[in-house]
Amino acid sequence: MPSIIQLLPDHVANQIAAGEVVQRPASVVKELLENAVDAGANDIKLILKDAGKSLVQVIDNGKGMSVTDARLCFERHATSKIRQAEDLFSLHTKGFRGEALASIAAIAHVEMKTKQDQEELGTHIVIEGSKFVSQEMAVLPKGTSFAVKNLFFNIPARRNFLKSDVVEYRHIVDEFQRVALAHPQIYFTFYHNGSEMFNLQASSFRQRIVNVFSGKTNEKLVPVNEETEIVNIQGFVCKPEFAKKNRGEQFFFVNDRFIKSGYLHHAVMAAYDGLLKDGAQPSYFLYLQVPPNSIDINIHPTKTEIKFDDESALYAILRASIKHSLGQFNVAPVLDFERDANLDTPYHYKDLEAATPTIQVDGSFNPFSEEDKPNKHYANTSSSYRKPEPAASWESLYVGLKHDTQEVDTISFENNEVTFENDEVTSSLFDGEEVEQAVHKTHQIHKKYIVNPIKSGMIIVDQQRAHQRILYEQFLTNITVNLASSQQLLFPLHLYFSNGEMQLITELKPSLTNTGFVFEETNEDSVVISGLPVNVSESEASIVLEQLLSDLQDGIPESSFSQNDTIAKSMARSLAVKTGTYLTQKEQENLVNGLFACKDPNVSPFHKPTFITMRVEDLDKKFAL
């Protein structure tokens, strides 16, 4: 029987490996940027075309490669970082597997130019789908330039699975920010389709964070600094009042490598316990330095997950250091029973001398005198004292009042022959039974459900889901028909966002305008809003936009209907009345009537039931048990 197991050809094996390493253009950006950092570069340029689908180019001024290394770097498992197995537990560099360049070259057209500082000429290599097309000497500057063109040209199925340019660009920005934040000492520039997106000079950690996310990031940051035998923690957390709905600005760096850790994230959330609103997520930028032999970074192909030797100790240290920083900068409440805040001296009184008080006494004042002294003043203070005059004959004010009220019933004007007679006033327009039904038409239960009787029994309405359905259809109609009305603000509202968030708002601006937002000005890191939708208050504007950005963090839908649908759902989620809100009788009735005036009252915009029906027969069965 012939053998059925055989070795795969190299080009097939490289394509399979590429599926693990290169998932999208952002994966190529990550690998090339990390290689440039490992090469010791202090100036790195990233150039993109069509969100990396047509071109991803990284140019650095690192140490470069020799002719032999330039050819060998495209072979699988060829690396300069590992010599023996023990080296895996003492890594100080980004890449170490030797699969990235081989995987990229298997699915794209790659052009590499590299030169070492001591060499006169450099090496220019062109590879297409793992096949060497050319290799020649060239006059080049110091460093390395990688140009990856036509990604997935030989795997059309993978290329078809790529998202829109907007989505792919956002993933690339995420990878770029992770590398740029981990290495503030490196000068980064980022170009997309000929436009400069980022220009990050070498700076401190704090300044790099501010330059990347712009806006009012600087005033949000609270420094964290803790040194122990297990870990050294540096970085910043944001004040609780600036917490957002999404988890975009949350970064952990271990030995200058970006990682994801739900365990460490839980430690940060524990430090903020009691300081955040429900669903709010704090921003943080934390740099951890640990001994390389105490972690294992070889547990995930993308190297974004790390195994720690002593996670529980790291958890406790991280939680305590963040809590200490929040308390030290008066962000968290502090209980101090030894100190009385009323005794604190204001700063502007610190260097002033105490003024000697003066006392003035009126020697002629006699408290037992019966004389009326309306004009006499007593000047022991700046105010004056006047002896009150007794009210004379106050009883006369009410004389004849009872008689007058009794005579009001019938008044005659004989000259004009006009007579007003008292009419019989009924206590209500309805009989007793009808009044009882009108008053008790709806009931609110536990500030969550509204019960309304019907002929067959009763319906129980979820107030939050019902209001979501009402608002959703209103917003969707306004966006589609372009008939939304706006309320003008007396003072324009200034809102600040990061660069990535501003790009989303700019793309959604036409749809948001149709809902009632009026954008007076749009800057690189802020917007000026002069008008809001009718049912959006000024304090809710930032909440609505943050929720919208959170819902669109995975990308904006390409079709206009899907965009409008997403915006309407997000705004309905933000503005709907929440569970636990008390509703008046009129509000309950308006909610029920508005729900059943909708086109689809049965489900919320998120496909959950808005009400249930209970018949009298169902209740009878309950009591028959």
Side-chain angles (χ1 to χ4, degrees):
M1 184 175 180
S3 300
I4 59 176
I5 298 178
Q6 58 184 355
L7 293 176
L8 288 173
D10 289 341
H11 69 280
V12 177
N14 287 338
Q15 288 187 4
I16 295 175
E20 299 178 356
V21 179
V22 183
Q23 301 174 356
R24 55 192 346 140
S27 304
V28 177
V29 171
K30 174 181 180 297
E31 298 292 345
L32 296 184
L33 287 178
E34 290 182 348
N35 285 344
V37 172
D38 287 341
N42 57 16
D43 187 352
I44 300 176
K45 294 182 177 63
L46 172 61
I47 303 172
L48 299 178
K49 285 185 180 179
D50 302 328
K53 298 176 181 177
S54 299
L55 173 66
V56 175
Q57 185 174 8
V58 173
I59 304 173
D60 67 72
N61 63 346
K63 56 187 177 183
M65 289 181 282
S66 65
V67 177
T68 305
D69 290 342
R71 182 65 181 262
L72 193 59
C73 71
F74 291 101
E75 299 294 332
R76 292 189 65 196
H77 307 301
T79 178
S80 62
K81 321 298 177 50
I82 301 295
R83 291 290 182 268
Q84 52 189 355
E86 288 74 13
D87 293 341
L88 289 172
F89 301 98
S90 59
L91 291 171
H92 298 275
T93 56
K94 304 289 186 182
F96 56 88
R97 299 189 182 198
E99 293 183 355
L101 296 182
S103 300
I104 295 172
I107 55 174
H109 297 165
V110 178
E111 182 179 2
M112 184 187 72
K113 299 176 182 179
T114 183
K115 174 183 173 295
Q116 292 180 326
D117 192 16
Q118 67 273 15
E119 299 291 337
E120 294 183 0
L121 296 176
T123 306
H124 181 197
I125 295 178
V126 178
I127 301 177
E128 295 180 358
S130 295
K131 297 180 181 179
F132 277 84
V133 177
S134 65
Q135 178 177 346
E136 58 187 7
M137 308 299 290
V139 179
L140 301 170
K142 173 196 172 184
T144 304
S145 171
F146 272 99
V148 179
K149 305 175 183 179
N150 304 323
L151 194 64
F152 298 124
F153 80 99
N154 53 355
I155 311 178
R158 290 289 302 275
R159 190 175 182 88
N160 292 335
F161 274 100
L162 294 179
K163 304 295 183 181
S164 64
D165 288 355
V166 177
V167 178
E168 297 299 338
Y169 173 77
R170 288 192 60 201
H171 285 286
I172 292 174
V173 170
D174 290 341
E175 295 293 347
F176 175 80
Q177 289 177 349
R178 293 167 181 174
V179 178
L181 289 173
H183 302 278
Q185 73 279 5
I186 300 178
Y187 179 25
F188 286 93
T189 49
F190 181 4
Y191 300 91
H192 182 221
N193 292 337
S195 301
E196 184 180 83
M197 310 309 297
F198 290 93
N199 191 331
L200 307 177
Q201 300 280 349
S203 59
S204 62
F205 283 140
R206 188 184 193 111
Q207 190 61 43
R208 176 55 58 89
I209 295 170
V210 174
N211 291 338
V212 170
F213 294 99
S214 64
K216 290 189 174 182
T217 307
N218 189 38
E219 66 183 44
K220 305 176 185 178
L221 300 178
V222 176
V224 179
N225 192 355
E226 190 72 32
E227 295 184 4
T228 65
E229 296 180 356
I230 299 177
V231 61
N232 292 337
I233 301 175
Q234 290 183 342
F236 301 90
V237 295
C238 285
K239 299 177 182 178
E241 58 266 27
F242 296 104
K244 298 182 178 182
K245 292 286 186 182
N246 58 352
R247 298 178 58 174
E249 299 177 7
Q250 296 179 347
F251 296 88
F252 281 115
F253 299 96
V254 176
N255 296 353
D256 294 334
R257 181 192 301 275
F258 171 80
I259 68 161
K260 298 178 181 179
S261 175
Y263 190 69
L264 296 182
H265 172 73
H266 190 276
V268 177
M269 296 300 294
Y272 278 90
D273 188 23
L275 300 176
L276 299 175
K277 299 179 181 178
D278 292 339
Q281 293 287 335
S283 300
Y284 52 81
F285 311 88
L286 297 173
Y287 302 82
L288 285 68
Q289 291 291 332
V290 299
N293 57 2
S294 67
I295 57 175
D296 183 6
I297 59 179
N298 195 26
I299 62 174
H300 194 275
T302 60
K303 301 181 289 291
T304 56
E305 296 181 8
I306 289 181
K307 178 67 176 176
F308 297 92
D309 283 351
D310 194 353
E311 287 188 335
S312 59
L314 189 60
Y315 181 100
I317 295 173
L318 182 61
R319 176 180 176 273
S321 59
I322 295 176
K323 209 170 187 63
H324 173 71
S325 295
L326 294 176
Q328 183 179 6
F329 290 90
N330 294 327
V331 176
V334 178
L335 293 178
D336 190 351
F337 299 101
E338 300 291 333
R339 173 177 165 274
D340 187 358
N342 296 324
L343 300 179
D344 291 345
T345 302
Y347 291 117
H348 59 279
Y349 285 127
K350 184 178 64 172
D351 298 326
L352 296 180
E353 296 182 358
T356 305
T358 58
I359 301 176
Q360 296 180 0
V361 180
D362 185 4
S364 63
F365 171 66
N366 185 4
F368 302 102
S369 175
E370 297 294 336
E371 298 179 4
D372 185 16
K373 301 176 181 180
N375 297 323
K376 189 66 176 179
H377 298 276
Y378 304 94
N380 65 336
T381 61
S382 60
S383 61
S384 60
Y385 170 78
R386 182 186 296 270
K387 184 177 180 180
E389 298 181 3
S393 62
W394 58 270
E395 295 89 348
S396 62
L397 297 176
Y398 298 95
V399 174
L401 182 60
K402 183 177 181 181
H403 177 72
D404 292 341
T405 55
Q406 291 176 348
E407 297 293 325
V408 167
D409 292 338
T410 303
I411 303 176
S412 299
F413 297 92
E414 297 179 356
N415 295 335
N416 297 330
E417 296 182 356
V418 178
T419 302
F420 296 90
E421 296 183 356
N422 58 335
D423 297 331
E424 181 180 357
V425 180
T426 60
S427 61
S428 175
L429 298 175
F430 306 98
D431 294 336
E433 183 179 355
E434 294 176 346
V435 172
E436 185 177 357
Q437 292 180 357
V439 172
H440 301 288
K441 186 175 182 180
T442 60
H443 297 273
Q444 189 181 26
I445 300 177
H446 292 294
K447 297 180 182 179
K448 184 176 183 180
Y449 300 107
I450 298 175
V451 179
N452 190 43
I454 56 177
K455 289 183 178 180
S456 61
M458 63 179 177
I459 59 171
I460 303 175
V461 180
D462 187 308
Q463 64 184 33
Q464 182 173 354
R465 295 179 183 178
H467 200 204
Q468 287 176 353
R469 165 53 64 177
I470 297 171
L471 293 176
Y472 167 73
E473 294 197 1
Q474 289 178 357
F475 286 127
L476 195 58
T477 303
N478 293 339
I479 297 175
T480 306
V481 186
N482 299 335
L483 293 177
S485 56
S486 301
Q487 52 180 345
Q488 297 299 312
L489 299 176
L490 183 61
F491 300 102
L493 189 62
H494 292 256
L495 300 178
Y496 293 86
F497 300 95
S498 65
N499 291 333
E501 293 172 339
M502 280 303 306
Q503 292 175 3
L504 285 177
I505 292 178
T506 302
E507 295 183 30
L508 297 173
K509 186 177 177 181
S511 299
L512 291 174
T513 302
N514 292 336
T515 63
F517 283 93
V518 178
F519 293 92
E520 182 176 321
E521 187 178 341
T522 303
N523 302 318
E524 293 182 358
D525 59 352
S526 64
V527 292
V528 180
I529 299 176
S530 60
L532 296 173
V534 176
N535 48 0
V536 179
S537 64
E538 186 174 350
S539 61
E540 293 174 329
S542 60
I543 299 176
V544 170
L545 292 179
E546 285 181 8
Q547 181 66 54
L548 179 59
L549 294 174
S550 176
D551 293 338
L552 293 174
Q553 61 183 352
D554 293 332
I556 302 176
E558 296 183 8
S559 64
S560 59
F561 175 78
S562 298
Q563 290 183 17
N564 297 338
D565 183 71
T566 302
I567 293 174
K569 287 181 178 179
S570 179
M571 295 182 65
R573 188 206 306 268
S574 301
L575 299 173
V577 60
K578 301 297 186 293
T579 298
T581 304
Y582 171 76
L583 301 179
T584 64
Q585 192 71 32
K586 189 67 176 177
E587 290 171 341
Q588 297 173 29
E589 294 178 4
N590 291 339
L591 189 65
V592 174
N593 295 334
L595 174 63
F596 290 100
C598 294
K599 296 180 179 178
D600 189 6
N602 297 319
V603 294
S604 71
F606 309 100
H607 307 289
K608 295 182 180 180
T610 57
F611 69 92
I612 60 173
T613 304
M614 293 192 68
R615 300 178 301 169
V616 177
E617 292 81 356
D618 299 332
L619 295 176
D620 292 340
K621 293 179 181 179
K622 296 289 184 182
F623 285 101
L625 296 177

